[in-house]
Structures are given as C-alpha cells and as structure tokens.
Amino acid sequence: MAAGVNGAVRFLHFDELLRNLGGIPPSRVRLTPAPGTATIRDVVRLWKSEGRMCELVEKTLVEKPMAFDESNIAGIMLTWLNVFLTNHPIGMAVGEQGMMKLLPGLVRAPDVSFVSWSQIPDRAATRTAVPDFYPDLAIEVLSKGNTRGEMVRKRKEYFLAGTQLVWEVNPLRRTVDVYTAPDAFTTLTESDTLNGGDVLPGFTLPVRAIFVNIPPTAPKRKKR
C-alpha cells in the first residue's frame, strides 16, 4: 500500500485509514459519503446543510475538532492580524471557515490563515467556496481531538503547498510552536512575543495576549 502526503489511498481496514490520517479518533471521520469517495462538493454541501466544518483528506471527510476556548483564541489572533493588515495591506486574514484546496484532493481549513495578495490577481474577491489558495501563514489551535500524527501530516501538507510559517497554539501549555519547516520549530511562552518574520514584516503579538480569556489550568494534586 502506497501512501503519499496528498495521494488518495485504498485501505482494506478502517484502522489503516485512521493511522494514515494521523491516528485521529473514529468519531471525526464521516461515513457518508463513504471514506475514499468524498469530493470537494461534499465538503461544501455538509457546511451549507449542517454547518459542519470538514476537511477533505484521502477522499474522506474529517471533522474539525473546535471547541469554545479554541475558537476564542483563534478569534483573538484573527483580530490582531486584521488590525495589522488595516495599516499594512499586504493580504487578507480568514478564520476557521476559510477552506482552501492546498493540493489536488486535499482541502484544509486552518483555524486562522493569512493569504498574501500575491496569490490573488488584482485583489479580486473570490466567489469560490474552496479556492486554490494556500496559507502563507497557517495557525492551528490545538484541541483535545487533535493528535500528534495529524499535526505532523498537516505541517507537511502546508509547507508542500507553499506555506512559509505555521503557528501551533497549545492552550493547555499556553505556548506557541513556531514552525519554519515541517519539523523545525521554536517554542514561545507567555513571556515571549510572536513576530511575523518575512511573511508579515512588522507584525508582533505578545503570547500572553493570546490566552487573555483562558484561565490557567490548576496543577493536579499529587495523590497521598
């Protein structure tokens, strides 16, 4: 069985598919349409009919695990980006509904994305539900349903598509991992400040501000 980053693969067993998707829980995989048969039209149809955000991977609909706190964090980061872009109009920022066709048969929807104007001729608004864009900056806010394998796969896909910067936000640890390649990263804590590097020159965001509405998790008590 051959499995590429974006190539559809036939699986004999459901557990093989789950492992290929990064070891995600079965509850996130939609069975209608059957795994291995889904298309971009199904992604759009499900969003319009049920309001369910799904990504398309291996011709399979995979639900995004987004909860209240994670959505709040994404909203804060989107606000900071939009304020910056108002004064530095170098592209647009979109939220968790900003689906993009990264590669043939692969649709991802980062929790927050920045897309530079260089990808959009004449800065014309797109009426396509899933445009052929990639995030110059992709921001993923980790949720309970995300797995390490899933995020490894996502990073590979982002950078293969053209992404230059990935921020992985960890609400439990209150940190941000800054990736400049699929496996090259620096971890920032609340005492640090994010910067946009070459992707967003001049952009800064104190990490502490990202978690302003999220109370620190109380340390677990040791059993006596």
Side-chain angles (χ1 to χ4, degrees):
M1 177 179 65
V5 171
N6 66 315
V9 181
R10 292 182 181 272
F11 300 96
L12 293 178
H13 304 285
F14 192 56
D15 62 335
E16 292 179 322
L17 172 62
L18 293 177
R19 284 197 299 270
N20 187 267
L21 295 174
I24 64 173
S27 57
R28 288 183 53 201
V29 177
R30 300 283 298 205
L31 298 182
T32 305
T37 67
T39 66
I40 292 179
R41 289 185 179 182
D42 295 311
V43 174
V44 177
R45 174 187 56 77
L46 198 61
W47 167 243
K48 290 183 177 180
S49 63
E50 299 184 23
R52 294 276 188 176
M53 281 298 302
C54 285
E55 296 176 311
L56 181 66
V57 193
E58 305 291 6
K59 295 185 178 180
T60 300
L61 296 181
V62 179
E63 292 188 357
K64 283 180 60 66
M66 198 68 173
F68 187 86
D69 284 348
E70 288 84 347
S71 183
N72 176 263
I73 289 172
I76 289 173
M77 300 187 78
L78 182 60
T79 297
W80 277 74
L81 282 173
N82 277 324
V83 169
F84 174 80
L85 292 172
T86 297
N87 299 313
H88 305 80
I90 58 175
M92 67 169 69
V94 295
E96 56 202 56
Q97 298 176 20
M99 298 179 288
M100 303 180 202
K101 179 183 174 184
L102 300 186
L103 299 165
L106 177 65
V107 174
R108 290 295 190 186
D111 298 318
V112 181
S113 302
F114 163 71
V115 179
S116 66
W117 289 128
S118 63
Q119 293 192 58
I120 309 173
D122 303 322
R123 303 188 183 185
T126 176
R127 298 184 181 276
T128 304
V130 187
D132 292 330
F133 297 157
Y134 61 83
D136 292 83
L137 162 66
I139 302 175
E140 293 282 358
V141 184
L142 301 182
S143 299
K144 186 177 180 180
N146 290 128
T147 66
R148 181 177 180 180
E150 177 187 20
M151 302 315 297
V152 168
R153 175 173 180 142
K154 279 192 174 188
R155 291 195 302 271
K156 290 180 179 178
E157 293 168 346
Y158 286 140
F159 283 102
L160 182 61
T163 299
Q164 301 174 60
L165 194 59
V166 174
W167 294 343
E168 279 188 13
V169 183
N170 190 319
L172 292 179
R173 295 181 178 179
R174 305 174 80 86
T175 60
V176 180
D177 287 342
V178 178
Y179 285 86
T180 53
D183 55 1
F185 71 96
T186 300
T187 299
L188 303 184
T189 67
E190 289 187 279
S191 62
D192 298 313
T193 298
L194 274 168
N195 70 77
D198 294 334
V199 179
L200 289 163
F203 176 82
T204 59
L205 168 56
V207 174
R208 188 179 303 277
I210 298 172
F211 306 107
V212 64
N213 294 329
I214 311 298
T217 302
K220 293 183 179 180
R221 293 183 179 180
K222 294 183 180 180
K223 294 182 180 181
R224 295 182 178 178

